[in-house]
Structure formats: C-alpha cells, structure tokens
Amino acid sequence: MSEFKFSKEHEWIKLEGEVATIGITKNATEMLGDIVFIELPEKGLNVEKDGTVGVIESTKAASDVYTPVSGEVVDINKSIVDDASKINTDPEGNSWLFKLKIKDKSELDILMNKEEYDKFAKESAS
Amino acid sequence: MLHNSQKDFIKRHIGTSKEEQSKMLNELGYESLDDLIKDTVPEKIHFKDELSIGEPNSEYEALRKLKIISKKNQIYSNFIGMGYYGTYTPNVIVRNILENPGWYTSYTPYQPEVAQGRLEMLLNFQQMVIDFTGMDIANASLLDEGTAVAEAMSLSHRINKSDSNLVFISENCHPQTIDVVKTRAEPMGLKMIVGNDKKELDKLKEDLVCGIIQYPGTLGDIKDPSESISKIHKKKGKAILACDLLALAKLKTPRELGADIAVGSSQRFGIPMGYGGPHAAFFATKDEFKRSMPGRIIGVSVDRHGNKAYRLSLQTREQHIRRDKATSNICTAQALLAIVSAAYAIYHGPEGIRAISERVSQLAKNFSDKLKQSGYKLYSDSFFDTVTIITKDKTEQIYNNALDNKVNIRKVNSSMLSISFDEKKNVYRANQLLKIFNCTESIKENPTESLSNLPKSLLRSSKYLEHPIFNTYHSETEMVRYLKKLENKDISLNRSMIALGSCTMKLNAVAEMIPITWREFAEPHPFAPIEQMDGFRTLFTDLKNWLRSITGFSGVSLQPNAGAQGEYAGLMVIRKYHSERSESNRNVCLIPSSAHGTNPASAQMAGMKVVVVNCDKDGNVDYEDLKNKAEKHSENLGALMVTYPSTHGVFEEKIIDICELIHKHRGQVYMDGANLNALVGISKPGNFGPDVCHINLHKTFSIPHGGGGPGMGPIACKKHLEIYLPSHSVIKDCGPANGIGAVSAAPWGSSSILSISWMYIKMMGSDGLKLATQNAILNANYVAKKLKNHFPILYAGKNGNVAHECIIDIRTIKSETGVTEEDIAKRLVDFGFHAPTMSWPVPGTMMIEPTESESLSELNRFCDTLIKIKSEIDKIISGEFDKIDNPIKNAPHTDLELTSNDWNHKYSREEAAYPAKFLKANKFWPPVARVDNVYGDKNIYCTCPSMDEFKEDAA
C-alpha cells in the first residue's frame, strides 16, 4: 500500500493520474462497527479540502465523511450505497467511497504515509 | 419537637433503615452520614446550614394541604381551543396506564429486551399518526406542538440545499406556535415572515426554507392549503402542516394535500389539558427525510432467533451519539402520553374516533346555525370544531357574560370571539353558550345530522386505523388484558431496581402521583384567565421558592419541558445577556468531552460554536486544556457547560477555579443539573460559580420517567440573568418583559406534573431532602466498595469516594475474554435486572446510580448479581465455559428457547435461567432474546408489522 496516503480523519487516498480514489481505513471501520448507511456527495460537486462531503453510520456511531483533498467529484461507489455493510468487508479495496478530479496535487504532500498512519492510529486509540 | 408522623414519608422514601445505614457506613469506615459527606464533598462548596424548605409532612398532611391549594383553581367550562381541548381519558386507561407504576416508572427503552411492551405501544402511536396524516414515517413523540413545528423548521433547514434563510409562517397558526418558532429561528440565522399565506406567498421574491400552515386554522377556518403548499414548493421550501388529529378523521390528510411534514398534538386523544401539559406532540414526514428526523423512532427488528422484536431505530441521528451534529437535542420526550393517546385510539377504534369527530363537529355546526339565525356573522362557514363569530361591539359584553357563567371563551380581538367544541361538550353546554350570546334559539336534543360545515372538496375518503391492533380491544375486559400483557413484558421500578447512572431512578411515590388526576389540576386550559388559577399560582410560587433555596439562585423559570430544553433555554438566556451588552460575538461554548450529548446539541441550537475540552486521566475537566481554550477563545467566549458533580460521578475539587476562569474571560457558566441529586441540601450551585442551571424534576424531584417522558427542566439563574428568562406571548406575566420568548407552547410547561415535585419536597422537608442526598451518596459508595474487588471503579474524588454514582470498568474483561458491557447488560436481564447506563460517559464501562430509594437487601442483590456474572466471566477465562457458547454471550434466555426440545448449548438450562437462588421465587421472563441491531438498522421498518404477521402472533 505504498502508493496510499492517509488523513487524520482515517481516510485513505490513492492517486492515479489526476483522479484520486478515497475511502476509509480498516482501522476506521473497526472503530465504527457494523456500518449500515452511507451518504455520499453528488457527482459534479466541487469539494474543498477537509470539508464534509457525506455521512457514514453504524449501529453505534455516526461520523461525517471528509475529503482530504480538494477537487470535483467524478464518481461515487454505488455498490456501497446499496449495501453499506460492504465497507466493513473490504474498506481498502472494492469499497472505496468516491473519486475526485483533484485540484492541487501538493495537498497530498502533507498527508501521512502508511507507516505514519499506523503509528497515528495506534496513538489515537490509546 | 416534631410530631412523629410528620417524618413518616422520609423513611418510606429512603430505602434503608437507620441501622442499615450505620452498618453500611461502618463498612466504609465512617461514623455518620455527616462524616461521609465531609470526606466526599469539597470543603469550599459544602453548604452546612439548613435549607429553608420547612418541616417534613406526612403523606396525608401534604395531600390535605395540596388539596386546599388545588381548590383555589376555579374550574370553568373551556371553549378556548388554540390546540388544547377537553377529552375523556377512558377510565381503563387512567387506572391501568396513567396510575400504574408498571407503565409510569419505566425508563426510555434503550434496553429493548426488557421494554417490548412500551415499544409496542409507541409503535402503535407511530402507526396512528401515520394513518391520520398519511405520511410515511412518524416518531414516538415530541414535547408539544409548538416545539414540533420548530423541529420541522429545523429539519427543513438541515436538508435545505439552497442559500435561502427565509421561513414563512402563516398567521393562521396558534400564537404560541409562532412564538416558539420565533425563538428558535433567530439563533439559527433564519428570517421569519408571519402573514396571510393566501396573500403573502405571492409577494415573496426570495426562496424559502419552509412554509408553515395550521390546518384547520387557529380560528377554526378550513381553507384548502394545497395551493399555498405548491407555492411553498415553487419557492423550493418544505411545506409543514400543523394539524389536528381529530379533524383529520374527517378531512383529507396532509400527505394528500402535498405536505412534506405533518406535526401536531395528540392531547385531545385522551390526555387531560393539565394547564399546559404534559401532552405528546407528533411528527411525521416522508421516507426520504427519515434520517433527518428528530426524536425517538421505534422500529421492528428480529431477535437472535429470528423472532420479531421492537427497538429504538435510527439512533445515530440522536444527541447521545451525534452530539452537536444531532438532528435535535431531544432526549426525554413524552412517551407516557404517547402511550395514553395510542391506547385511546386502540380503545375507541376507527369507528369510535370517527363518531367522536362527527359529534364534535356536528355540535359546532348546530351551534353556529343557531347563532346565524339570531343574526350573527361567522368569520368562516368552513370549520371543524371551532366557530369564530364576528361580535363587533358586543365582544366585551359577551365575553364577560361567559365569565359570569363560569365559561371561558377565546377573545380573538376586540371584534371577534371564538368557540371550540370538544369531546366533553354536549347540547346542554351549547345551549348555555347560546344564552350567553343572547340567542333566543336553542339546539334540540336530536338535531338533524349534516356536516355541511366541512368543505366537500376536503372530505377524507381514505381509511385509517385499519390494523387489527385498533380493531380488537374495544371491550374493557379485552383492553385490560392487552395492557397487562404489554406491561408484563417490561422491567420497571415495581419489579427491581433500575441503577441507571445519570438518570436517578428514585421512588415515584403514589402520594406524589395522586394529585395529577385531580380535576383542579387536570382540567384547566393553559390560557384560562390567570385570575381563575390561584391554586396553580400558589403551587408555582412554592416550587420556585423551594428551588431557589435548593440551588442558591434567585431567578426560576418553570417553562422548559425537559432537561435538554432547559439547556437550550439557559443558553439562550446567556446569548441574550451577551447581546444586550453588545457582545453578541460571544458564541463559543466550551464543553467537556464527558458531557451529555444534549449539551453540544443544545449549544448548536442556541447558535453557539462548540469547542470540546478534554478530560484528564482522573475523569476531571483537564484544567490546563480548559485554560488554553478559554484563552484562545477569550474574545468570543460565550459559555462553559459543566455538569456537577461530573458525569463521571465525582465531586471535582476545582469547580470554583473553573468557574472563576470562565468569568475572567467574560464568559458565563451553565451548569447541567442532571446530577443535582448529589447536591440538594449539601451544596448550592448558586454559591460556587455557575450563573444558570437546569433542574431535572423527573430525576431529582420524583417525576417518574414514564418510559421516556414526561420530564420537566426548569432553569434557575443569578440576578443578572433574570430579566432574560423565557416569556410567553399569550400569558404575558409568566416571564419578564424582555425575555428570550417562548421555549415551550405552554407558559409553565407541563404544569400538572409540577404537583409531583411539590409533594416530594413538601413531604421530605429540609431534613428529608438532605438525608436523601446523603443516602444517595452512601448507597453509591457502598455499591462501589462491594464491587471494586470484582470490577475496577473508574474514577473517584476526594478520599477515594464517589458522588452519587460510580463507573465500573469492563475494558480489561473485554480484551481478555471478549465479554462486553453489552453482554453483561443482557445477562442482567436473566437475573431480572435492568442494566445500568451502558458505554457512557466512557465506552466499555457501566455507570451505576442506585439512588437513595433502594433497600440494603436490593442493593446487595444487585451487587451479588454483578459479582455472580463476574464469576461466570472467570469461568470463561478458566475454560469451564466456552468462549462463544456461554450463558453471557447468549443472554438473555427466553422461555421458548429454554423449553424447546433441542438445547444444544455447552451449559445447562438451569445455568441459563436460574443462575441465582432468588430467581426460583421470582423470575422475569424476557419476551424476546437479544435484539439484532444491525438487522434493524439495515431494514428500517417503523410501522406495525403486517396483518399476516399479526395474525400469526395471535394464533
């Protein structure tokens, strides 16, 4: 997962060309428990870095979905909207949340790499 | 010397005897209650004088005194209307629900396995509301119609995607509704236009957030609202109809008229007016908005074995999870009243309700015919139950004439009077009124039937209450058995102790409950002329003075209808204080991370920006973090919300410093009074720093929890804030002239249940109240001592003592064995106990608040049960029990499972069902096994299960 970057809001981001795929980390799904609902932004929406773009709900918690970078929403993952529990099974693979055509690549620079995120996750859990 | 019997109630209320208290104190290493308190409460805040409440009174003496006060209320016949109507509570419902501790002492149904009875009744309420409004989904009650309309506005604002901030409210809405909405709209940054919807909507240039219309109007007139609704839609707003349930039995549904949200009050379905409440409001909307709805929603799920089971659904919308992003701050609602009105609909059935509706409307029609024959003109010829008459210069004379005849009617203005009929009115009353209007005509006993007053185009053709639930229990025998069947499914205080931390499930004594059904308290209309209400005025004055003495504050408002509403009201008072000092920029609200979810949710409603303050490892407010944040936001600091003693059940030593720090930065301190049961008589918040606090009368002052309401959350404040307390547009002298406006529909909130707290305080007296607090603290420390060798006690204050509650830590157990706090909660059901507060304020823990009302034997039984469960956990560790297939993980066990022919578990049936000896004499059988939350949240289903499923059940 070397090409992945991570945010403090427990999102991962993977850049391919100008399009970034964004999801939540396995660690985040473990904190949330059984996910039952997700609301994602509409296609075409322009979103600002660190802004709220949706909601994710489990049986015991609800959390906003943030975007770690700015850009235009070019795709959303319909299959998880239909069955949100898929996020629990494959959060860092097929169950990505949305894709952005990003505005400013440099925004990725301040995000964490895998090693840094694992350390961050461990610290914030204790 | 006091006569002995005067102190009788104190020992009925406090569960332990003097000897038992000595024994418990001894175990804790104390000589006396005073020693324990001295060692527990910080010296600086300890109040050592006596409260000025007076001597205690016996039950009989207090009842006699209150009866005399009640007689000072003059009971007039009320035709005032405005959302409050006469109704008969069927006697079977009075005795079996309203006066039955099996229903009124239960808690909010967070633990569904021990709450299936009231969950079913609340689901029936939702079904009833859905049937009458035609909407897709309804919640299980809100506080009153005014706040329900305000919540509808908030929902519209939440889902509003445009930049508009304009709210239209028709002048045909009840004035108290307009008042409540106005108070709510301002901090949300919404502009409000009040006007005639037929005229004003066309003139609007801007888009709307929502438009609000009353149906039928406050003057009784029925106009087709569908045209206005489409205009609201064209302006991109949501259309909100505030409607009358009884009228909807005859009129087209809000859904058919195009409304997005339908709200109203179910008061006239069997709930007495009670001088303002409590009553259950309803809220219904379209399926697409369900995740933005406020309040509790009951849903259908399945249990572990796949059997149907009810539970609270969509909880992630709510304040206890979502905090400042919750859809509403509502916590305590009006569950008991929703249950009563659902029972009313069940008992009458669709035919019965239709008959009542037609009878009421017919009487109004016949009355208006006779008036017209005598030459009067009506404001509108289309009406349901309310006739508005153009009386011009006769207005005053007729109004006074009515008063002389002990009749209250509504004076709309100097040239119109309004008359509302209801279930209790008859031909005799209508003829009396005709005489008051100087009519020579009178209605005959058997008038012709014709409801030409209802517009043909708006007549309802759709059916309602078709579900078998509403068509089965029409005889009293059947009804009594249905209610008993449901009651038996629940654990309430008449079964075992409910040690819910932060909820103070103390005794709700019968003597306290008796006055609420006295007609002098139950029958008055909230807008009756205050000269008739000397009894209530005396009751309010007594209660305010006592609350002043208890809290050390000088100002009191009895208007807020629940704790969370008290928070909102208190913060609005603070907001107004800052703005009057030209510091309206002060909108930052500091809230410790351990606060009740209602705190951030209320702060958000009051237009404040929430900044979270950390807690330190001892569970106290992290003073350094607080200091940093207060400094950082010094310019804009509005308030700190702090719970005292803390939500961790500890008397924080630093409370005075904390308050001083906030004041230094020109902020105000709001104290959440949820834990006042640890302060009464031993410490006064008004003396140690806070500026305003709310008081949960349904925790500390004995109003029962009713399965999730009613509650009352009066606020008390210091002198400088008094002039901003809540006011009311209809009854002007209930609050200050420059107040924040109305926060509840009724001027003194749920007035009738204030009699419960009056009785409690009167019977306890200064000494009794202090003793209650001392014993609540003793019991909590006793429980902590008994349990600490088996479960770590998470936080403690001075000398290792807790306040009135303690937290047991399950996290180590969880990591070692996989047994969670939820597993323990469910295993407690097998022992016949309701679980303590789970996973709050610290995840992975349970918070226990025993209260002063439990006996030593019950405290021991509860502790022994937890210790027994711990020994079962030890068996998992030792391998004696399987890690997965054990009695804790599979709890609770139903009789069906236990008696089935295939029992394939790795433990015995006896270990499952009778793990303690006492159970052989008294066993609670849970009606369902563990409820599947994931299934329920994935398959959201919030109406009564289909007829087929229902028939299977009955077979």
Side-chain angles (χ1 to χ4, degrees), chain A residues 4-19:
Chain A
F4 283 61
K5 290 273 198 171
F6 298 86
S7 75
K8 286 190 174 171
E9 300 294 345
H10 304 280
E11 275 123 10
W12 56 261
I13 175 166
K14 187 182 155 195
L15 189 66
E16 286 161 308
E18 289 200 322
V19 174

Side-chain angles (χ1 to χ4, degrees), chain B residues 341 358 467 706:
Chain B
S341 60
E358 286 173 356
H467 195 280

Side-chain angles (χ1 to χ4, degrees), chain B residues 319 382 614:
Chain B
Q319 43 75 28
S382 298
N614 297 332

Side-chain angles (χ1 to χ4, degrees), chain B residues 466-525:
Chain B
E466 288 186 286
H467 195 280
I469 283 279
F470 301 103
N471 292 281
T472 308
Y473 310 109
H474 299 326
S475 76
E476 182 162 330
T477 306
E478 283 296 315
M479 187 67 178
V480 136
R481 289 177 189 155
Y482 178 57
L483 295 177
K484 187 70 189 166
K485 181 180 103 178
L486 296 186
E487 183 195 338
N488 282 348
K489 294 180 185 211
D490 291 12
I491 288 184
S492 44
L493 282 175
N494 64 356
R495 225 184 255 275
S496 51
M497 81 185 263
I498 302 179
L500 280 160
S502 188
C503 300
T504 317
M505 300 291 286
K506 63 167 68 176
L507 169 75
N508 316 117
V510 174
E512 291 153 5
M513 296 297 292
I514 284 174
I516 63 166
T517 40
W518 289 346
R519 69 184 292 251
E520 291 79 6
F521 288 148
E523 288 189 11
H525 189 288

Side-chain angles (χ1 to χ4, degrees), chain B residues 875-930:
Chain B
K875 285 186 183 173
I876 299 175
I877 298 173
S878 71
E880 203 174 321
F881 276 149
D882 185 81
K883 250 194 136 127
I884 294 154
D885 189 15
N886 60 58
I888 304 179
K889 279 283 170 196
N890 292 335
H893 298 83
T894 62
D895 52 346
L896 271 181
E897 183 185 10
L898 287 154
T899 54
S900 98
N901 287 332
D902 22 73
W903 176 264
N904 300 319
H905 295 296
K906 294 177 181 162
Y907 53 97
S908 72
R909 287 178 160 104
E910 191 169 20
E911 280 172 310
Y914 293 100
K917 224 179 185 175
F918 68 78
L919 290 167
K920 298 205 170 154
N922 185 13
K923 169 82 183 165
F924 171 77
W925 290 106
V928 295
R930 199 177 299 191

Side-chain angles (χ1 to χ4, degrees), chain B residues 521-550:
Chain B
F521 288 148
E523 288 189 11
H525 189 288
F527 305 144
I530 50 167
E531 308 83 68
Q532 296 165 17
M533 291 295 123
D534 274 355
F536 266 117
R537 300 307 286 256
T538 307
L539 181 107
F540 297 157
T541 305
D542 284 349
L543 198 54
K544 281 182 175 183
N545 284 337
W546 296 335
L547 294 177
R548 284 182 184 111
S549 168
I550 289 165

Side-chain angles (χ1 to χ4, degrees), chain A residues 34 36-37 42 55 57-62 64 66 85, chain B residues 161 291 311 314-317 321-322 325 933-934 937-938:
Chain A
D34 294 305
V36 293
F37 175 75
E42 281 166 30
V55 180
E57 290 185 15
S58 68
T59 49
K60 60 179 184 188
D64 287 325
Y66 299 90
S85 69
Chain B
K161 292 210 164 101
R291 284 178 193 277
R311 64 186 277 279
L314 290 164
Q315 286 194 58
T316 47
R317 300 163 297 116
I321 292 177
R322 206 67 171 280
K325 288 193 173 146
N933 288 323
V934 179
D937 275 344
K938 279 187 187 161

